[in-house]
Amino acid sequence: MHLPESGNECPNSYHQPSIETVVSAALPHFMTLMKDTGFLGTTPAIDTFVKIAKQVRFEEAVVHALPQFIPLLKDNDYRVRSASAGAFFMIAKEARFEAAVTKFFPQIVTLLDDSNPDVRSSAASAFSKIAKETRFDAVVVEAFPQLVALLRDSDPDVRSRGVVTFSEIARETRFEAAVVDALPQFIGFLNDRAPDVRSSAVSVFLMIAKEARFAAAVTKFFPQLIALLHDSDPDVRNRAVSVFSEIARESKLATCTSRCNRMTHSHFFSSSF
């Protein structure tokens, strides 16, 4: 047998596969690992998946792996559902995945109705972030009913997160029409038997009252807001006062605020004697 004279020469040279090939081959195993190892094993795998997704060269591999990743949103462990939802939104922020992730948003919307409050709160927080991305406008509007329903949630932290999320979305001028259309749904909340729900609803009015473009929409609900000035719960009363204080800051509403003050004054004295 004739051996090559140099140790650097090999008749059957080995061609090292590209890193893209290696990652593409490994991702299906990552998906299996996420499903079968429980929360402690799933979380590191999810974190790794997100890191891979952030690198442009692995785009194709990530797109192919997404359908295997989505079932984690329905995992029996709420911690896995929450972690996978957070990962999904981080991937969705990358514009190059728009086509791949959009079709999975219906599953994300269902997390707003999840049985676990931490998952509901995390999902609500995520929606306030994607609302800043114009390419997801249709998805955010579609989720409005579930986002509004969070104000009547049984968990106080979820209610608070719902107020913040809805208010942050309202700041985006693109959603002005959708926000105005949703306001009538809050009337029922203003009259809810639970003071915490009434307080959450008033908080939304307080937040949007800071935006001049909602002036006309807010004034339609003055009778209901005035009634809350005499609510049995002090927190509700204080928030209602803050709404009118915020409205009074807008010079465009000076006439309306003056009329409102007269109505409030009259209502106070008529109910005091």
Side-chain angles (χ1 to χ4, degrees):
M1 177 184 293
H2 175 72
L3 296 177
E5 296 180 1
S6 172
N8 295 327
E9 298 177 11
C10 180
N12 298 311
S13 60
Y14 173 72
H15 297 286
Q16 183 176 359
S18 67
I19 186 63
E20 289 83 2
T21 301
V22 173
V23 170
S24 296
L27 275 181
H29 299 284
F30 264 90
M31 299 301 109
T32 302
L33 186 65
M34 291 180 192
K35 297 175 184 177
D36 299 338
T37 56
F39 174 69
L40 294 179
T42 300
T43 303
I46 289 176
D47 290 342
T48 300
F49 185 53
V50 172
K51 291 177 181 178
I52 291 172
K54 289 183 177 181
Q55 300 189 50
V56 178
R57 57 180 172 169
F58 302 132
E59 177 181 346
E60 184 177 353
V62 171
V63 170
H64 287 157
L66 273 175
Q68 297 173 276
F69 176 80
I70 296 302
L72 292 176
L73 298 172
K74 297 182 179 181
D75 193 90
N76 292 330
D77 191 324
Y78 79 89
R79 297 170 299 178
V80 174
R81 296 197 302 274
S82 183
S84 58
F88 178 87
F89 280 109
M90 291 184 71
I91 293 172
K93 288 171 62 177
E94 303 291 334
R96 64 184 180 279
F97 292 120
E98 178 180 355
V101 302
T102 300
K103 60 184 177 183
F104 297 118
F105 265 105
Q107 289 95 313
I108 293 294
V109 173
T110 62
L111 294 181
L112 294 169
D113 299 318
D114 194 89
S115 60
N116 184 272
D118 289 341
V119 176
R120 297 195 300 274
S121 185
S122 296
S125 178
F127 269 97
S128 67
K129 293 182 175 64
I130 69 166
K132 301 181 186 301
E133 306 286 342
T134 57
R135 63 184 183 276
F136 296 127
D137 284 2
V139 173
V140 174
V141 172
E142 181 183 348
F144 259 49
Q146 287 88 344
L147 291 170
V148 171
L150 293 179
L151 274 72
R152 191 175 262 168
D153 197 276
S154 59
D155 187 276
D157 291 335
V158 176
R159 288 197 301 273
S160 178
R161 182 64 253 181
V163 170
V164 173
T165 295
F166 193 85
S167 301
E168 289 178 343
I169 291 174
R171 293 193 187 104
E172 302 292 333
T173 57
R174 310 186 310 281
F175 299 115
E176 180 176 346
V179 170
V180 171
D181 289 343
L183 286 181
Q185 299 178 54
F186 291 100
I187 292 299
F189 295 169
L190 292 175
N191 298 321
D192 196 274
R193 294 178 60 183
D196 288 342
V197 174
R198 297 197 300 275
S199 181
S200 295
V202 177
S203 295
V204 169
F205 278 100
L206 174 59
M207 296 297 290
I208 67 174
K210 297 178 181 180
E211 305 289 336
R213 66 183 184 280
F214 292 121
V218 172
T219 55
K220 292 180 181 179
F221 302 103
F222 271 177
Q224 290 85 353
L225 292 169
I226 289 173
L228 293 179
L229 293 172
H230 309 283
D231 194 272
S232 59
D233 186 84
D235 184 59
V236 175
R237 294 196 300 270
N238 290 336
R239 289 176 187 269
V241 169
S242 297
V243 172
F244 289 112
S245 175
E246 198 61 46
I247 291 173
R249 296 175 184 272
E250 299 295 336
S251 59
K252 293 180 181 179
L253 291 178
T255 301
C256 186
T257 302
S258 177
R259 176 173 63 85
C260 177
N261 287 337
R262 291 196 299 272
M263 292 172 63
T264 306
H265 182 79
S266 174
H267 186 79
F268 172 78
F269 280 101
S270 65
S271 62
S272 298
F273 299 97

